[in-house]
Amino acid sequence: MKRIAAFLLLIAFSVAWSMPANAQRENRSIGENSREAKQAAKQQQRYSKKQAKRQRKAMKKYQKAQRKATKRQRRRRT
C-alpha cells in the first residue's frame, strides 16, 4: 500500500515538474491575451464608429449653417 502511494506521488510530481510554472502561465495568458486583444479591437472599432458619427453630425450642422448664411446674404442683396 505504501509503495503504491509513493509511486502515485512520484508520478504526480514528475508530471507537475515536466512543465515549468512559467510556461503554464504563458499558455494561459496567450489565450487570455487573444481574448483581450479581440475585446480591445472591438472597443476601438466602437469608439471610431462613434467618432465618425459625431463628425458627420458636426459636418451636417456646419453645412446647414452655411446654407442659412447664404440665404440671408441673398435676401439682403435684393
Side-chain angles (χ1 to χ4, degrees):
M1 190 74 165
K2 288 182 183 179
R3 289 181 190 172
I4 295 172
F7 184 70
L8 289 176
L9 283 173
L10 181 64
I11 291 173
F13 283 126
S14 66
V15 170
W17 288 107
S18 65
M19 183 181 258
N22 291 339
Q24 289 175 348
R25 283 190 204 122
E26 286 178 20
N27 287 340
R28 276 191 229 120
S29 67
I30 290 170
E32 291 170 4
N33 286 342
S34 67
R35 193 177 324 134
E36 289 173 7
K38 285 179 185 178
Q39 288 175 347
K42 194 172 184 179
Q43 188 176 6
Q44 182 65 29
Q45 193 175 20
R46 271 189 249 137
Y47 178 75
S48 63
K49 196 174 180 181
K50 197 171 188 179
Q51 286 296 101
K53 187 176 179 181
R54 285 179 184 165
Q55 192 173 1
R56 283 193 306 270
K57 193 173 179 180
M59 195 64 187
K60 276 186 172 182
K61 191 174 182 179
Y62 174 77
Q63 287 173 348
K64 188 175 180 181
Q66 289 297 317
R67 285 194 302 269
K68 279 189 171 184
T70 55
K71 279 185 180 180
R72 277 192 223 125
Q73 285 179 353
R74 287 181 189 166
R75 288 179 186 165
R76 287 181 185 171
R77 289 182 188 171
T78 56

